Amino acid sequence: MPSVFGKDSKKKELIAKLDQIYAQIQREHQISPGDFPDINRMKEQLAHQDFTKFRSLEKKLLDRVDKMLTEDITQLMTMVPQEEKIAFDKSNAVKGGAFEDHIDNPFGAGRGEGIDAGRDAHEWIVNQDRDKYDAVFETLNPVDGKITGSTAKQEMVKSKLPTSILGKIWKLSDVDKDGMLDMDEWALASHLMKIKLEGHEIPNTLPDHLVPPSKR
């Protein structure tokens, strides 16, 4: 009987410190807070579980899950067809008069917002917040003008966006596909994170107007 009470006490202690456990896992594994379930609901669910039936953690399984989130899912998302979006844009085009046969009109859904902002601008829209993005980049101790993927990840998870979204943003921002980000690519990644945090969707391919001028 004492062992039963001991396990129950340990269970209550773990649930009480769940917020600290979340924070520790975030730091050690560089996991975005957005990937974690609601802490209050998790505490409620754990309170009704028998901890003695939980299986031990398997590192190989965790590694496979991490690979799935950072690589496989982002690859699948690039394969999602865009026919629905194209059809939606066409069906919402204003017809008649000055707008006859003009599909790419400024009054279409999402025009000038989110990922579409800056499409017709002469200057790269990312430059609007460039001072802020560059300041962060310098704190990441770039080598030869670039930061590694692991360094970028440590900073990007602070956005609290899900890992799958951050993985997608990384893929779009690494324009030259060298596995690193220079100052322009970091600014692009920061801009894409800002767009997502404002509630807009991230495309599967990078629009031409968002390609850094140095990469065109």
Side-chain angles (χ1 to χ4, degrees):
M1 186 67 71
S3 61
V4 174
F5 285 119
K7 292 178 181 178
D8 187 60
S9 175
K10 189 67 175 178
K11 172 181 174 179
K12 291 180 179 179
E13 179 184 354
L14 184 147
I15 294 175
K17 295 182 177 180
L18 192 59
D19 54 340
Q20 298 176 31
I21 295 173
Y22 270 28
Q24 181 181 351
I25 295 174
Q26 290 170 25
R27 289 193 304 271
E28 292 181 356
H29 300 282
Q30 300 177 18
I31 299 176
S32 171
D35 288 328
F36 285 80
D38 178 77
I39 192 166
N40 291 323
R41 178 169 175 77
M42 178 59 72
K43 287 182 177 181
E44 181 181 347
Q45 293 291 327
L46 290 175
H48 300 289
Q49 299 296 321
D50 182 355
F51 281 26
T52 62
K53 294 182 179 180
F54 286 0
R55 296 176 58 184
S56 300
L57 284 176
E58 297 181 25
K59 187 178 184 305
K60 289 184 178 180
L61 179 60
L62 290 177
D63 291 341
R64 292 209 307 266
V65 171
D66 186 59
K67 179 179 181 298
M68 177 189 69
L69 291 173
T70 57
E71 299 178 18
D72 298 343
I73 289 182
T74 53
Q75 290 178 5
L76 285 173
M77 293 178 75
T78 62
M79 299 168 63
V80 176
Q82 307 236 351
E83 286 85 352
E84 291 185 5
K85 181 181 183 303
I86 295 173
F88 178 82
D89 288 343
K90 289 184 177 179
S91 65
N92 281 274
V94 180
K95 297 181 180 179
F99 296 97
E100 186 66 42
D101 297 324
H102 187 66
I103 301 300
D104 191 22
N105 76 76
F107 298 97
R111 297 301 184 199
E113 303 175 357
I115 204 71
D116 190 69
R119 183 180 297 276
D120 299 321
H122 295 294
E123 184 181 2
W124 193 35
I125 190 172
V126 177
N127 284 337
Q128 291 183 357
D129 295 307
R130 192 58 188 267
D131 291 344
K132 179 172 61 177
Y133 300 152
D134 288 355
V136 174
F137 183 81
E138 291 297 341
T139 67
L140 301 178
N141 301 317
V143 177
D144 295 329
K146 296 188 176 185
I147 58 174
T148 64
S150 59
T151 298
K153 180 179 180 180
Q154 291 178 23
E155 185 65 26
M156 291 172 72
V157 296
K158 295 179 182 179
S159 68
K160 299 184 179 181
L161 290 170
T163 300
S164 57
I165 296 298
L166 293 177
K168 186 176 183 180
I169 289 174
W170 164 267
K171 185 173 182 178
L172 292 174
S173 302
D174 184 16
V175 180
D176 54 16
K177 307 303 178 189
D178 65 350
M180 305 181 79
L181 299 183
D182 60 22
M183 187 173 281
D184 284 346
E185 291 172 322
W186 170 255
L188 173 59
S190 300
H191 180 71
L192 293 176
M193 288 189 286
K194 175 186 175 184
I195 288 175
K196 184 59 182 177
L197 289 170
E198 290 175 346
H200 302 286
E201 292 303 314
I202 300 299
N204 294 324
T205 56
L206 189 68
D208 291 342
H209 71 282
L210 287 183
V211 176
S214 62
K215 308 292 182 182
R216 296 174 186 173

